[in-house]
Amino acid sequence: QTVVTQEPSLTVSPGGTVTLTCASSTGPVTSGYYPNWFQQKPGQPPRALIYSITNKHSWTPARFSGSLLGGKAALTLSGVQPEDEAEYYCLLYYSRWVFGGGTKLTVL
Amino acid sequence: EVQLVESGGGLEQPGRSLRLSCAASGFTFDDYAMHWVRQAPGKGLEWVSGISWNSGSIGYADSVKGRFTVSRDNAKNSLFLQMNSLRAEDTALYYCAKDIDSNWHTYGMDVWGQGTTVTVSS
């Protein structure tokens, strides 16, 4: 069974930088997995942030960036704002789509 | 403005069926693939199914394969999910989501609806 693993929780100070990662149980994440990142706040649907590793949607704030890092997909937030506190999910493609378990980001 | 509005959720008994609908507006529906994604109470996201722009390619999660059927009516800008043989573990908020591309297996989702709640319980 394919498992996508994210950090369960991370804490960052306002104005700081944090990197969330997304690992595949099958091996290194590559472009063929089409990594996506989503943000979800309580009571709201997910909001798409990044697709195909690095590509931003028109509404994605500039402080969010995607990359591949050490065999994982990564989402970096630079200059974190209080409103970035949320759950973040990655999504990988394996002949079907599989979400990671999510990372709860606390801004404190 | 791109809008997706899900409907059809409710309380149903195990073994019974439900049909979810998603009404799309604000974009050229038949240019894009569509997805269903669900979220059990207090849990993470689970991809359920994807369908290409012309229904020529369809995919399902292993957890629903053989029980759920996705379809679309491009003339009516609508997406559907026929859910048969419902189980307690199908209880979730079901989201409809638009793909970035015409195929469901390349780029991923961009715009999401607010979801419709399905509860399976006797």
Side-chain angles (χ1 to χ4, degrees):
Chain A
Q1 182 181 350
T2 302
V3 177
V4 178
T5 301
Q6 301 181 242
E7 297 87 0
S9 63
L10 291 170
T11 299
V12 61
S13 300
T17 296
V18 65
T19 296
L20 290 64
T21 67
C22 176
S24 170
S25 62
T26 61
V29 175
T30 64
S31 60
Y33 289 85
Y34 302 103
N36 281 248
W37 290 94
F38 301 87
Q39 178 194 64
Q40 188 179 33
K41 296 181 179 180
Q44 297 182 16
R47 182 175 74 139
L49 294 173
I50 300 285
Y51 66 97
S52 292
I53 307 175
T54 61
N55 295 281
K56 299 180 185 182
H57 295 279
S58 59
W59 52 80
T60 304
R63 62 184 180 275
F64 290 86
S65 62
S67 65
L68 291 181
L69 199 63
K72 301 178 184 181
L75 176 70
T76 298
L77 288 70
S78 305
V80 171
Q81 302 296 306
E83 61 265 29
D84 296 333
E85 184 163 293
E87 192 84 23
Y88 290 84
Y89 293 94
C90 69
L91 175 67
L92 301 179
Y93 179 71
Y94 297 87
S95 75
R96 72 237 185 261
W97 290 100
V98 180
F99 282 95
T103 295
K104 181 174 174 56
L105 182 66
T106 300
V107 181
L108 204 58
Chain B
E1 179 193 4
V2 175
Q3 274 201 316
L4 299 169
V5 180
E6 302 92 337
S7 61
L11 173 64
E12 191 52 85
Q13 295 179 338
R16 301 293 293 267
S17 299
L18 270 178
R19 179 175 166 91
L20 305 184
S21 300
C22 171
S25 60
F27 65 103
T28 304
F29 184 70
D30 55 11
D31 277 351
Y32 296 96
M34 297 293 294
H35 300 265
W36 288 101
V37 177
R38 68 185 181 183
Q39 188 168 33
K43 302 297 185 183
L45 301 172
E46 180 187 16
W47 178 79
V48 172
S49 181
I51 183 169
S52 65
W53 68 282
N54 64 352
S55 305
S57 176
I58 287 173
Y60 296 100
D62 289 345
S63 58
V64 307
K65 198 174 296 184
R67 300 188 299 122
F68 290 9
T69 302
V70 65
S71 62
R72 62 190 295 161
D73 184 339
N74 287 345
K76 296 183 177 179
N77 292 346
S78 294
L79 175 72
F80 305 101
L81 186 68
Q82 179 66 42
M83 309 165 64
N84 297 334
S85 303
L86 284 165
R87 304 169 180 169
E89 53 264 37
D90 295 321
T91 295
L93 180 62
Y94 283 73
Y95 293 106
C96 162
K98 171 187 165 294
D99 199 285
I100 301 166
D101 191 60
S102 56
N103 293 303
W104 65 269
H105 47 76
T106 49
Y107 288 103
M109 310 90 187
D110 56 1
V111 179
W112 297 59
Q114 294 293 316
T116 187
T117 299
V118 172
T119 303
V120 183
S121 175
S122 54

